[in-house]
C-alpha cells in the first residue's frame, strides 16, 4: 500500500490502538493534521498550548495506563512541549510525542520555525528520533511505542520533517520490534530474590517502601497481598499514593519532607528497608546519610541505573516489579517469617499519637478542609489531579486515596500548570469518574487557557482553586527559613476567577464558607460541565509536618511545634 | 551500621570504558550529552566505525569515584543505541601525538628523544619538523612534556586513547 508519510502516522497510531490524541497544529505538521481531518480512528483534543497537550496526554496515560499521544508543530510548538516531556520523563510516564520539523532541505539553515528538536529533547526523553527517510517511519513509530511502554517507561519523541509527511512510500506496519540494543530486564535473578527473602524472614522491623514504580507496573494488588501475608508495614511515596488504599491497617502513611510522623519514624527505625519501585528522591529521604541508617536494603527496580545511584543496596534486584513481587509471594509458601506484630503496633502507636491533622477554624476555611470534604463526598468516584505547591502536599496528605492511578501529580519535576491539562486527560480517559483538579491561585494561572479546551471538548473537569493570595509553598519557606522576607510571593492582585471561568463558558463559583463549598461542589458535579470553584482559604496555613531541607526524617517540625 | 553514606568510597580512579554503539547520526551526542548532563568527566574520547558492522566503538577515558564510574556504565547501558559497555580492567592503551618543532632546534636531539618514545620524524619543511609518537598515554604525556620544555613546539595534537583488552 503506497501512502503519504502523514497517512502513515495516522495508520500507525491506529495500529497501536490509539483512541485519543492531544495536540495543536502548525505549519510543519499540517500534512498530518490534514489526515487527522479525514480519519475517524481516534479523537483529537485541541488544547490551547502545546505544554498542555503533553500534560493532557500524561493525565490520560497516568490514569489509564495506556501510552499517551500528543502531536505538535515545529519550532515554538515543540519548545512549548519540552516542559511536558521533562515532566513525563521525571515520573517515567509512557508517551509518544510527534513533532513536525521543517523540510529536510531546510534543516540546518535556521529556517522559519526551525529548531534542533531532537537536540533539545534528548535529555528529557527516554529516546528520540529524527525521521530521515520515509521508509523508516512505520518502524520508528512501532519502536517508539515499544520503548515508551517497556522497561522503565518514559516519553519518546519523533520529529518528522514536512517533506517526509508529504512524500509517498510503501506502508507496512511492522509486526515486531527488532532492537538488538534494547532488551530491558523483566525476570529477576532467582538467587538474589532468595537471599532477599531470607533477609526478610530474619528481620525484626522490615518496612515496605513503595514508589511510583508500583503504579507503573500495575502491581498494587500484589503489594497489598504481600503486606497482608507477611504483616509487614508499608510507607508510600508521593507517587505511590493509592497503592495500599487509605484505610489499609498496614499503611503507615506517606513519607518524606511532608510525610507522616509514623511513616518517617518507620523509615528511621526499620532494620530492613524493602524498596519497591522507589528511587530515593531527596524529597523522600531527607538527609541521605541518615535515611534508614539502621537498615539493610532490598532494592527492587526495573532500571539498573536506579540501584545504588544514591544508596548502597545489600540485595539489589533488577526486574519488572509485578513479576518480582509475584515471585516474592510465591516464595512465601515455604518460608517461616518472624512475627512483626510488635513492630506494627509500635508504628500504629506513633500514628495515633501524632496523626496527620490540622486545626480547623469556624471563621475561615482551612485549605485542608475542602480536600477532606471532596474525599468524603466523592471518595473513590473521583480521580484527583493537582498542580504543584502547598495544595499538592495537602491533597497527598488528606485525600483518602483508595486505588492506584487515582492521584495524578507531577512528582519529579514539580511542574506548576500541570493540574488542569492533566485533568483534561483524566476526564477524557475515564468518563465514568469525576475529574477533580486541586490547584492554587499561583498554579492555576499557568495553564488557565485550558478551560477553553474543557469547554470546547465538553470535558467536565472541576477545578478547585485553594486561594490564599500567595505563592504558598515559597511563602512558607520564606517564613520559615528567610526571616519572613516575602520576596515576590504576594499574589493579592488577582483576576476575578468566577468571571474568568464564565468568560470561557464554564461554571464559576467563589466560596468563603463550608456551606457554599458543598453547594458549589454538588452543583458542579450535577451539571457535568467544566467548572472552577475558587475557595478563599486561610492565608498563612503551613504544610506540616515538615522535614527542613538537609535534615533527617526524624527531625520533623510537627503541627504542635508551630500551632499550639 | 550505615549503608547510606554516599561518600563511602570517594577515591578517584581513572577508568577506560569502551562503548559499542549503533552508527547513527545522534549516537555521539547522546553519549556526550549524558556525560555533560550528569556532570561526569570525559578525559579523552575516540570513535571509529567497527569494520564490517553497523556499529562504532568509542573509547572513553574518565575519572571519578567508584560510584560515579558505576553510574556512568549503567547510564550508558540505558541508552537505546548502546549495544555493550566494557569497563576495562587490563588493557593495552595507545595514544598518538603529533608535534611541530621550529627548524632552528637541534634536529638530531629531537630525533633521539622521539625514538625513545617509539617516535619518528614525519615531515620536514623550511620552517618546521613534525614528529609523531604512538605509545602508552602516560609515556606520551612524558614525551610531550619533554618536547615542550626543550624545543618550544609550535603545535601539539593528541589523538586521544584507544584501548583493547589484553
Amino acid at each position: 500500500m503506497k501512502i503519504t508519510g502523514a497517512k502513515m502516522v495516522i495508520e500507525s497510531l491506529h495500529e497501536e490502538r490509539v483512541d485519543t490524541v492531544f495536540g495543536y497544529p502548525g505549519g510543519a505538521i499540517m500534512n498530518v493534521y490534514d489526515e487527522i481531518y479525514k480519519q475517524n480512528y481516534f479523537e483529537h483534543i485541541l488544547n490551547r498550548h502545546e505544554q498542555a497537550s503533553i500534560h493532557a496526554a500524561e493525565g490520560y496515560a497516568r490514569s489509564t495506563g495506556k501510552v499517551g499521544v500528543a502531536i505538535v508543530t515545529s519550532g515554538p510548538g515543540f519548545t512549548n512541549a519540552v516542559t511536558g516531556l521533562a515532566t513525563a520523563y521525571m515520573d517515567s510516564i509512557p508517551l509518544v510525542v510527534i513533532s513536525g520539523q521543517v523540510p529536510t532541505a531546510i534543516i540546518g539553515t535556521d529556517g522559519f520555525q526551525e529548531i534542533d528538536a531532537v537536540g533539545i529533547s534528548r535529555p528529557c526523553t527516554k529516546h528520540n528520533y529524527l525521521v530521515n527517510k520515509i521508509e523508516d517511519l512505520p518502524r520508528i513509530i512501532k519502536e517508539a511505542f515499544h520503548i515508551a511502554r517497556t522497561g522503565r517507561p518514559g516519553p519518546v519523541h519523533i520529529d518528522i520533517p514536512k517533506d517526509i509527511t508529504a512524500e509517498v512510500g510503501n506502508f507496512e506496519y511492522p509486526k515486531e520490534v527488532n532492537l538488538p540494543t534494547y532488551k530491558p530486564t523483566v525476570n529477576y535473578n532467582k538467587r538474589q530474590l532468595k537471599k532477599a527473602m531470607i533477609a526478610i524472614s530474619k528481620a525484626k522491623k522490615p518496612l515496605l517502601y513503595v514508589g511510583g514504580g508500583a503504579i507503573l507496573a500495575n502491581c498494587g494488588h500484589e503489594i497489598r497481598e504481600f503486606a497482608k501475608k507477611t504483616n509487614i508495614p508499608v510507607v508510600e511515596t508521593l507517587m505511590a499514593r493509592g497503592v495500599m488504599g487509605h484505610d489499609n491497617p498496614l499503611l503507615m502513611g506517606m513519607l518524606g519532607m511532608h510525610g507522616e510522623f509514623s511513616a518517617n519514624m518507620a523509615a528511621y527505625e526499620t532494620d530492613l528497608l524493602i524498596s519497591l519501585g522507589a528511587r530515593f528522591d531527596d524529597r523522600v529521604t531527607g538527609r541521605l546519610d541518615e535515611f534508614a541508617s539502621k537498615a539493610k536494603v532490598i532494592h527492587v527496580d526495573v532500571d539498573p541505573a536506579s540501584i545504588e545511584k544514591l544508596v548502597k543496596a545489600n540485595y539489589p534486584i533488577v526486574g519488572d516489579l509485578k513479576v518480582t513481587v509475584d515471585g516474592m509471594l510465591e516464595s512465601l509458601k515455604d518460608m517461616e517469617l518472624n512475627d512483626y506484630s510488635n513492630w506494627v503496633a509500635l508504628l500504629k502507636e506513633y500514628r495515633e499519637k501524632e496523626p496527620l491533622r490540622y486545626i480547623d477554624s469556624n471563621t475561615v476555611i482551612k485549605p485542608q478542609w475542602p480536600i477532606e470534604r471532596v474525599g468524603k463526598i466523592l471518595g473513590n468516584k473521583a480521580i484527583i489531579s493537582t498542580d504543584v505547591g502547598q495544595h499538592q502536599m495537602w491533597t497527598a496528605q488528606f485525600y483518602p486515596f483508595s486505588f492506584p492511578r487515582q492521584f495524578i501529580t507531577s512528582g519529579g519535576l514539580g511542574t506548576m500548570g500541570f493540574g488542569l491539562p492533566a485533568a483534561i486527560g483524566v476526564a477524557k480517559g475515564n468518563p465514568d469518574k469525576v475529574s477533580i483538579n486541586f490547584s492554587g491561585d499561583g498554579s492555576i494561572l499557568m495553564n488557565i487557557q485550558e478551560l477553553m479546551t474543557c469547554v470546547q471538548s465538553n470535558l467536565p473537569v472541576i477545578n478547585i482553586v485553594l486561594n490564599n493570595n500567595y505563592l504558598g509553598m515559597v511563602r512558607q519557606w520564606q517564613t520559615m527559613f528567610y526571616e519572613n522576607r516575602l520576596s515576590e510571593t504576594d499574589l493579592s492582585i488577582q483576576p476575578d476567577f468566577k468571571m474568568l471561568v464564565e468568560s470561557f463558558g464554564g461554571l464559576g463559583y467563589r466560596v468563603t464558607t463550608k456551606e457554599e463549598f458543598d453547594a458549589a461542589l454538588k452543583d458542579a458535579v450535577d451539571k457535568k460541565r467544566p467548572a472552577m470553584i475558587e475557595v478563599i482559604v486561610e492565608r498563612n496555613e503551613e504544610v506540616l509536618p515538615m522535614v527542613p531541607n538537609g535534615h533527617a526524617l526524624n527531625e520533623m517540625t510537627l503541627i504542635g511545634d508551630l500551632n499550639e | 551500621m550505615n549503608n547510606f553514606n554516599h561518600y563511602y568510597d570517594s577515591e578517584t580512579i581513572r577508568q577506560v570504558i569502551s562503548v559499542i554503539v549503533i552508527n547513527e547520526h545522534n549516537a555521539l551526542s547522546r553519549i556526550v550529552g549524558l556525560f555533560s548532563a550528569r556532570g561526569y568527566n570525559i578525559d579523552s574520547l575516540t570513535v571509529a566505525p567497527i569494520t564490517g558492522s553497523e556499529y562504532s566503538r568509542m573509547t572513553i577515558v574518565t575519572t571519578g569515584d567508584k560510584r560515579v564510574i558505576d553510574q556512568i556504565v549503567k547510564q550508558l547501558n540505558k541508552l537505546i543505541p548502546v549495544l555493550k559497555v566494557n569497563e576495562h580492567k587490563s588493557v593495552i592503551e595507545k595514544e598518538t601525538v603529533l608535534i611541530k618543532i621550529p627548524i632552528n632546534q637541534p634536529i638530531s636531539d629531537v630525533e633521539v628523544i622521539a625514538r625513545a618514545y617509539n617516535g619518528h620524524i614525519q615531515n620536514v619543511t623550511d620552517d618546521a619538523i613534525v614528529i609523531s609518537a604512538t605509545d602508552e598515554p602516560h609515556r606520551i604525556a612524558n614525551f610531550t612534556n619533554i618536547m615542550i620544555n626543550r624545543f618550544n613546539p609550535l603545535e601539539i595534537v593528541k589523538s586521544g586513547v584507544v584501548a583493547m583488552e589484553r
Side-chain angles (χ1 to χ4, degrees):
Chain A
M1 179 169 55
K2 280 203 179 279
I3 56 175
T4 64
K7 188 98 201 296
M8 284 184 190
V9 172
I10 307 303
E11 292 294 332
S12 302
L13 294 180
H14 180 53
E15 293 277 350
E16 293 291 340
R17 298 192 187 84
V18 172
D19 54 22
T20 307
V21 169
F22 302 88
Y24 201 99
I29 197 73
M30 279 179 70
N31 295 329
V32 173
Y33 268 87
D34 193 44
E35 291 298 332
I36 288 176
Y37 184 85
K38 299 178 205 160
Q39 59 86 39
N40 53 12
Y41 294 146
F42 54 79
E43 192 178 343
H44 180 278
I45 304 288
L46 174 66
N47 296 96
R48 294 304 194 271
H49 190 291
E50 289 87 350
Q51 182 191 346
S53 295
I54 314 300
H55 292 327
E58 282 186 79
Y60 181 87
R62 290 176 195 241
S63 62
T64 63
K66 299 182 200 167
V67 178
V69 179
I71 300 177
V72 301
T73 193
S74 67
F78 174 73
T79 54
N80 280 348
V82 170
T83 303
L85 284 171
T87 307
Y89 182 63
M90 291 291 278
D91 289 341
S92 305
I93 305 305
L95 294 185
V96 170
V97 173
I98 294 169
S99 59
Q101 181 56 280
V102 299
T104 42
I106 311 286
I107 290 180
T109 67
D110 304 322
F112 177 67
Q113 293 195 330
E114 184 193 354
I115 196 74
D116 173 13
V118 287
I120 291 176
S121 74
R122 201 183 55 233
C124 53
T125 50
K126 183 172 174 185
H127 194 52
N128 61 11
Y129 296 91
L130 171 62
V131 182
N132 288 311
K133 298 196 295 279
I134 191 163
E135 303 89 270
D136 294 339
L137 189 51
R139 170 185 62 81
I140 284 174
I141 296 176
K142 178 83 184 173
E143 285 179 7
F145 276 87
H146 176 70
I147 290 169
R149 66 161 80 95
T150 52
R152 180 178 180 172
V156 179
H157 167 219
I158 308 170
D159 198 32
I160 315 177
K162 191 171 185 180
D163 55 321
I164 304 243
T165 55
E167 206 178 325
V168 172
N170 200 31
F171 179 75
E172 195 182 333
Y173 201 64
K175 294 263 180 301
E176 276 167 15
V177 170
N178 177 26
L179 279 168
T181 58
Y182 176 71
K183 299 254 189 287
T185 308
V186 174
N187 294 312
Y188 55 89
N189 179 309
K190 284 191 174 151
R191 272 178 49 201
Q192 203 59 12
L193 188 91
K194 195 169 178 198
K195 280 195 225 163
M197 292 305 292
I198 290 169
I200 291 175
S201 74
K202 289 184 176 159
K204 293 194 172 61
K205 297 174 169 183
L207 180 68
L208 291 166
Y209 156 49
V210 179
I215 288 171
L216 297 168
N218 294 315
C219 64
H221 172 72
E222 287 79 358
I223 290 173
R224 284 193 295 275
E225 274 295 297
F226 187 79
K228 194 175 166 192
K229 285 195 169 148
T230 56
N231 197 33
I232 295 176
V234 183
V235 294
E236 289 175 350
T237 68
L238 176 77
M239 296 308 292
R241 288 314 251 164
V243 168
M244 288 298 283
H246 67 102
D247 50 1
N248 192 308
L250 285 166
L251 178 65
M252 297 305 154
M254 178 176 80
L255 84 169
M257 181 173 274
H258 295 296
E260 271 181 65
F261 180 74
S262 47
N264 283 356
M265 290 307 290
Y268 177 67
E269 293 194 3
T270 176
D271 65 349
L272 182 70
L273 189 73
I274 307 158
S275 168
L276 302 177
R279 62 185 182 88
F280 297 84
D281 183 81
D282 53 274
R283 284 292 192 271
V284 166
T285 63
R287 203 177 132 184
L288 195 62
D289 58 355
E290 296 278 344
F291 179 63
S293 57
K294 301 171 183 173
K296 295 208 170 196
V297 176
I298 298 171
H299 192 162
V300 185
D301 206 299
V302 71
D303 175 10
S306 277
I307 290 174
E308 299 218 326
K309 185 168 71 180
L310 292 158
V311 302
K312 185 166 159 51
N314 305 82
Y315 307 96
I317 299 171
V318 178
D320 177 84
L321 195 57
K322 192 185 179 88
V323 175
T324 308
V325 179
D326 267 336
M328 288 164 71
L329 278 166
E330 184 66 30
S331 65
L332 279 180
K333 284 177 185 160
D334 39 35
M335 268 181 67
E336 229 170 87
L337 294 165
N338 270 341
D339 176 9
Y340 310 121
S341 46
N342 286 343
W343 166 231
V344 173
L346 172 73
L347 295 178
K348 278 189 176 160
E349 204 178 292
Y350 283 149
R351 218 170 182 215
E352 279 157 28
K353 193 178 118 205
E354 194 60 57
L356 262 185
R357 65 202 168 103
Y358 63 96
I359 297 161
D360 209 355
S361 160
N362 291 325
T363 52
V364 59
I365 297 181
K366 286 294 191 95
Q368 299 92 335
W369 183 85
I371 295 165
E372 268 190 340
R373 191 72 186 150
V374 175
K376 276 211 183 82
I377 294 168
L378 293 174
N380 60 14
K381 292 193 200 73
I383 293 179
I384 307 296
S385 310
T386 72
D387 264 304
V388 169
Q390 285 186 311
H391 66 273
Q392 177 189 31
M393 292 299 120
W394 284 318
T395 306
Q397 291 176 332
F398 289 98
Y399 196 90
F401 294 105
S402 49
F403 57 89
R405 303 190 184 279
Q406 194 187 5
F407 182 43
I408 311 296
T409 198
S410 165
L413 196 68
T415 309
M416 288 174 73
F418 171 82
L420 168 49
I424 288 174
V426 169
K428 191 70 209 126
N430 307 270
D432 54 328
K433 299 277 186 195
V434 184
S435 177
I436 301 273
N437 169 40
F438 283 108
S439 190
D441 47 310
S443 280
I444 194 68
L445 282 173
M446 284 209 174
N447 269 317
I448 191 84
Q449 77 287 342
E450 292 310 307
L451 285 171
M452 207 66 259
T453 309
C454 296
V455 170
Q456 176 174 347
S457 296
N458 197 23
L459 295 168
V461 171
I462 301 176
N463 295 280
I464 300 175
V465 177
L466 305 177
N467 188 350
N468 59 7
N469 283 246
Y470 274 130
L471 199 51
M473 189 59 96
V474 186
R475 197 275 305 151
Q476 176 170 343
W477 282 53
Q478 288 170 338
T479 302
M480 295 171 83
F481 311 120
Y482 291 85
E483 297 169 330
N484 213 30
R485 288 186 295 279
L486 305 188
S487 177
E488 304 294 328
T489 47
D490 187 311
L491 302 181
S492 299
I493 305 298
Q494 289 190 328
D496 182 327
F497 283 108
K498 183 174 183 307
M499 279 173 67
L500 182 62
V501 67
E502 281 170 357
S503 76
F504 276 106
L507 301 169
Y509 310 85
R510 182 174 193 273
V511 305
T512 54
T513 67
K514 292 177 175 176
E515 294 69 34
E516 286 172 352
F517 179 80
D518 281 0
L521 182 66
K522 182 171 187 320
D523 196 53
V525 172
D526 287 350
K527 286 192 173 140
K528 292 197 166 79
R529 280 180 53 204
M532 185 192 292
I533 305 171
E534 179 197 10
V535 190
I536 308 302
V537 296
E538 159 66 42
R539 268 201 106 185
N540 291 305
E541 188 75 1
E542 314 287 13
V543 181
L544 291 171
M546 177 171 190
V547 179
N549 221 7
H551 285 244
L553 286 191
N554 60 324
E555 300 170 339
M556 273 167 282
T557 305
L558 299 167
I559 185 162
D561 298 338
L562 289 189
N563 286 331
E564 286 169 358
Chain B
M1 176 171 35
N2 188 345
N3 290 309
F4 289 88
N5 189 347
H6 192 114
Y7 307 102
Y8 74 105
D9 186 3
S10 58
E11 188 195 347
T12 299
I13 45 178
R14 174 179 180 277
Q15 182 67 50
V16 180
I17 295 169
S18 69
V19 187
I20 313 296
V21 57
I22 294 177
N23 287 329
E24 54 173 36
H25 63 284
N26 256 321
L28 182 62
S29 69
R30 282 185 211 284
I31 302 232
V32 176
L34 186 153
F35 275 78
S36 65
R38 294 183 183 269
Y40 306 143
N41 288 320
I42 296 179
D43 293 344
S44 128
L45 185 153
T46 55
V47 51
I50 297 173
T51 314
S53 83
E54 51 168 338
Y55 296 100
S56 285
R57 177 195 297 270
M58 290 182 195
T59 307
I60 299 171
V61 182
T62 184
T63 47
D65 62 28
K66 188 178 173 304
R67 188 180 294 269
V68 166
I69 304 290
D70 283 355
Q71 266 298 306
I72 290 173
V73 172
K74 285 175 176 173
Q75 294 289 350
L76 284 170
N77 264 314
K78 252 175 98 167
L79 296 176
I80 310 290
V82 168
L83 180 70
K84 204 161 181 240
V85 183
N86 280 315
E87 269 173 286
H88 291 303
K89 294 281 177 271
S90 168
V91 284
I92 297 167
E93 290 179 45
K94 291 289 172 195
E95 188 170 23
T96 293
V97 65
L98 293 167
I99 303 178
K100 188 182 281 178
I101 289 167
I103 199 73
N104 60 10
Q105 297 287 351
I107 295 184
S108 55
D109 287 8
V110 171
E111 204 198 350
V112 169
I113 296 169
R115 246 189 262 148
Y117 286 91
N118 295 324
H120 304 281
I121 292 177
Q122 295 291 349
N123 195 34
V124 180
T125 64
D126 288 347
D127 307 320
I129 57 172
V130 175
I131 51 169
S132 79
T134 301
D135 211 324
E136 290 167 35
H138 71 272
R139 283 176 55 81
I140 291 297
N142 260 346
F143 175 58
T144 312
N145 276 340
I146 292 168
M147 288 307 188
I148 290 170
N149 290 338
R150 298 186 71 140
F151 303 115
N152 299 318
L154 299 165
E155 208 179 337
I156 298 172
V157 178
K158 278 180 162 185
S159 67
V161 176
V162 292
M164 189 179 272
E165 201 86 27
R166 279 179 210 277

